[in-house]
Amino acid sequence: VIDKKYAGYIVISDSLKEDAIDAVARLNKMKLNTVMLTGDNKYAAGTYAGELGIKEYYAELLPENKVEHVERLLGKNGKVAFVGDGINDAPVLARADVGIAMGALGSDAAIETADVVLMTDSPSKVADAIDVAKRTRKIVWQNITFALGIKLVFIVLGVFGVANMWEAVFGDMGVALLAILNATRVLKGS
């Protein structure tokens, strides 16, 4: 106001994180349904959702409203992961199948409540975490299948008297070492 006349207003707004558009594109490419739940006003939420390529968004939500939306999503097929960093996100992080907190600038409540804590505030790390989880799961199943298969072979060989106890022990130790070596592939990203 200047001399009791309206002169204009100042808008203070969040900005998108540097890699947010790429992060949402990667999640969409994984065929994951992305939904934005925010306490921001409808105009800001619509603008950001459009920039990010998110078709479904809900704005002006209080923490309990976010929980209600996540519970509605839980009723559908599939798992629900929620990514948040604020104290208002703690209840919904706890309610989702997987709560993911952005750790660098996230509130302590969000970090303590989440199942997964990303140590940066880079949204692309969500897709990275999903990739690592998929690779880890694949390697775990390879190790389980291989270990059980070798054990079954030694049981059969033992029953027919072809393998003795020491061969079975060495076979078991060999399987354990190979499983450990196989698991190190997660570190290399292969």
Side-chain angles (χ1 to χ4, degrees):
V1 175
I2 300 173
D3 295 328
K4 297 184 180 183
K5 287 189 174 182
Y6 175 77
Y9 60 93
I10 298 172
V11 175
I12 299 174
S13 175
D14 287 332
S15 59
L16 290 177
K17 296 199 186 296
E18 194 174 296
D19 64 342
I21 294 171
D22 179 53
V24 173
R26 285 180 61 195
L27 294 173
N28 289 338
K29 190 175 180 182
M30 291 177 178
K31 305 227 185 304
L32 298 174
N33 183 28
T34 53
V35 178
M36 184 169 67
L37 305 176
T38 181
D40 290 341
N41 66 51
K42 291 178 184 179
Y43 174 77
T47 300
Y48 290 135
E51 288 180 41
L52 292 168
I54 296 175
K55 295 179 180 84
E56 187 178 354
Y57 66 93
Y58 302 93
E60 300 176 6
L61 299 177
L62 297 172
E64 58 269 16
N65 302 125
K66 290 180 183 182
V67 171
E68 290 169 7
H69 280 282
V70 165
E71 286 177 344
R72 182 180 53 81
L73 292 169
L74 287 168
K76 297 180 180 179
N77 291 338
K79 299 289 183 189
V80 174
F82 183 86
V83 181
D85 64 358
I87 193 166
N88 291 335
D89 294 328
V92 71
L93 285 166
R95 183 62 185 106
D97 290 317
V98 179
I100 304 171
M102 305 297 268
L105 298 175
S107 75
D108 289 342
I111 290 169
E112 290 176 19
T113 305
D115 301 303
V116 177
V117 178
L118 303 176
M119 298 312 294
T120 70
D121 284 330
S122 175
S124 64
K125 296 297 182 187
V126 173
D128 291 344
I130 292 169
D131 286 338
V132 169
K134 286 180 180 180
R135 283 195 321 269
T136 302
R137 181 184 174 113
K138 181 180 173 185
I139 289 171
V140 165
W141 279 109
Q142 288 172 353
N143 286 345
I144 290 170
T145 304
F146 181 66
L148 290 177
I150 294 298
K151 290 178 188 292
L152 182 64
V153 167
F154 274 101
I155 288 172
V156 170
L157 291 175
V159 166
F160 291 110
V162 177
N164 63 33
M165 178 63 95
W166 288 109
E167 291 170 336
V169 168
F170 283 119
D172 186 55
M173 291 305 297
V175 166
L177 291 173
L178 288 174
I180 291 167
L181 290 173
N182 190 34
T184 61
R185 290 185 346 184
V186 173
L187 299 173
K188 296 178 184 176
S190 60

